[in-house]
């Protein structure tokens, strides 16, 4: 920023009239923007800065991109499968239909990122941040996401089958019709989230927090909620369980269980 200000003062001092001042402003724009354009041509590697760059359809599988800065970049339809991206900054970046399958994204930052139908299958998402991101219809199957932060994220119709979400933060998240089949959800924070029609069948929900959670037709058949917290009878009454569902002692199974099968 200091370099740009210096050039602006010099250009103004040389300008003799209004038209010259316009030309000086254009020179300033070129000189200040040039470094930003140049960095987008930098080779990929640990700590590279591609912030604000358009990099759609990249193929960087198995690369070391540890700590790379992709903030506010365009990475749609790209392939980062099996790459090392620990600590990478992808905040406010678009990653729709991008493949991160098997990648190490531990402690990466996807805050406010957009990633419809992105593929995080089998990825390491330990401690990764997805706060206020939109990852609707994305694949997180078998991802290692213990301690990940999905607070206020849009995850409707995503697939977390077999994922490890131990201790993850899904508070205030949109989780309608999300698949949690065979997932590990002990200690997950679902407080004030939308779990309508989500599939949580046959799961151990020990220590999960359901305070204020919307559970309309949430499928909890055969799940153990006996040591979950924040549950109310009103939530259970609109959810869909079975005779095998375990509830806290203070709650009872409604007569409406099991629910009728619904078409998707």
């Amino acid at each position: 920023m200091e370099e740009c200000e210096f050039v602006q003062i010099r250009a103004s001092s040389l300008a003799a009239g209004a038209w010259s001042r316009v030309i000086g402003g254009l020179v300033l724009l070129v000189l200040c923007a040039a470094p930003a354009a140049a960095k987008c041509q930098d080779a990929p590697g640990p700590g590279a800065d591609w912030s604000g760059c358009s990099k759609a359809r990249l193929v960087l599988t198995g690369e070391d991109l540890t700590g790379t800065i992709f903030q506010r970049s365009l990475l749609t339809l790209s392939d980062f499968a099996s790459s090392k991206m620990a600590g990478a900054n992808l905040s406010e970046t678009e990653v729709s239909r991008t493949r991160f399958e098997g990648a190490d994204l531990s402690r990466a930052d996807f805050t406010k990122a957009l990633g419809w139908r992105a593929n995080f299958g089998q990825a390491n998402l330990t401690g990764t941040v997805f706060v206020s991101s939109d990852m609707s219809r994305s694949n997180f199957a078998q991802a290692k996401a213990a301690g990940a932060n999905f607070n206020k994220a849009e995850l409707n119709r995503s697939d977390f089958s077999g994922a490890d979400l131990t201790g993850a933060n899904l508070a205030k998240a949109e989780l309608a019709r999300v698949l949690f089949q065979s997932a590990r959800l002990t200690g997950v924070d679902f407080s004030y989230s939308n779990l309508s029609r989500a599939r949580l069948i046959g799961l151990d929900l020990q220590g999960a927090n359901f305070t204020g959670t919307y559970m309309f037709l949430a499928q909890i058949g055969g799940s153990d909620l006996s040591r979950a917290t924040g549950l109310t009878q009103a939530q259970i009454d609109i959810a869909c369980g079975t005779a095998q569902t375990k509830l806290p002692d203070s709650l009872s199974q409604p007569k409406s269980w099991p629910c009728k099968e619904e078409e998707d």
Side-chain angles (χ1 to χ4, degrees):
M1 186 64 186
E2 292 179 358
E3 180 181 354
C4 293
E5 291 175 352
F6 173 77
V7 175
Q8 183 179 30
I9 293 170
R10 187 175 180 184
S12 298
S13 67
L14 293 174
W19 179 247
S20 297
R21 282 195 294 272
V22 172
I23 296 174
L26 292 176
V27 172
L28 166 68
L29 176 63
V30 173
L31 291 178
C32 292
K39 74 178 182 181
C40 294
Q41 304 302 319
D42 290 349
D49 185 356
W50 282 355
S51 56
C53 299
S54 179
K55 293 286 186 177
R57 300 179 185 274
L58 285 176
V59 179
L60 291 173
T61 58
E63 296 282 343
D64 187 354
L65 302 170
T66 305
T68 296
I69 303 172
F70 295 104
Q71 187 178 28
R72 296 181 180 177
S73 294
L74 178 67
L75 299 176
T76 53
L77 296 164
S78 294
D79 191 347
F80 295 96
S82 301
S83 289
K84 297 177 181 178
M85 303 178 71
N89 185 349
L90 296 105
S91 58
E92 300 182 72
T93 296
E94 182 164 358
V95 294
S96 295
R97 296 183 182 274
T98 292
R99 185 182 179 217
F100 297 99
E101 191 171 8
D104 180 4
L105 288 159
S106 56
R107 303 179 309 284
D109 186 358
F110 285 88
T111 299
K112 295 183 179 180
L114 175 62
W116 283 34
R117 297 186 184 277
N119 185 356
F120 296 93
Q122 301 180 359
N124 181 359
L125 304 177
T126 306
T128 302
V129 176
F130 289 92
V131 172
S132 299
S133 64
D134 188 347
M135 297 289 162
S136 299
R137 296 179 180 267
S138 291
N139 176 29
F140 293 88
Q142 299 182 45
K144 300 177 181 67
N149 189 348
F150 293 94
N151 183 255
K152 297 182 180 180
E154 299 267 353
L155 297 162
N156 296 322
R157 293 182 180 269
S158 291
D159 185 359
F160 283 88
S161 299
D164 183 358
L165 289 160
T166 303
N169 181 357
L170 289 109
K172 300 180 181 180
E174 289 294 328
L175 305 167
R177 298 185 185 272
V178 168
L179 301 179
F180 290 106
Q181 296 296 94
S182 303
R184 298 180 63 181
L185 299 176
T186 55
V188 170
D189 186 359
F190 286 118
S191 61
Y192 302 100
S193 65
N194 174 16
L195 278 172
S196 59
R197 292 184 170 87
R199 294 185 65 85
L200 301 121
I201 296 174
L203 302 179
D204 180 2
L205 293 161
Q206 174 182 346
N209 183 359
F210 289 92
T211 301
T213 304
Y214 184 56
M215 298 182 66
F216 179 68
L217 299 183
Q219 304 293 318
I220 55 175
S223 289
D224 186 353
L225 292 89
S226 61
R227 289 176 288 179
T229 63
L231 282 170
T232 66
Q233 190 63 49
Q235 289 171 306
I236 295 302
D237 288 344
I238 63 173
C240 293
T242 62
Q244 291 73 39
T245 301
K246 297 179 181 179
L247 300 174
D249 293 338
S250 60
L251 305 179
S252 59
Q253 296 186 0
K255 294 180 180 179
S256 59
W257 287 5
C259 302
K260 294 181 180 179
E261 290 288 332
E262 278 197 335
E263 294 184 3
D264 190 20

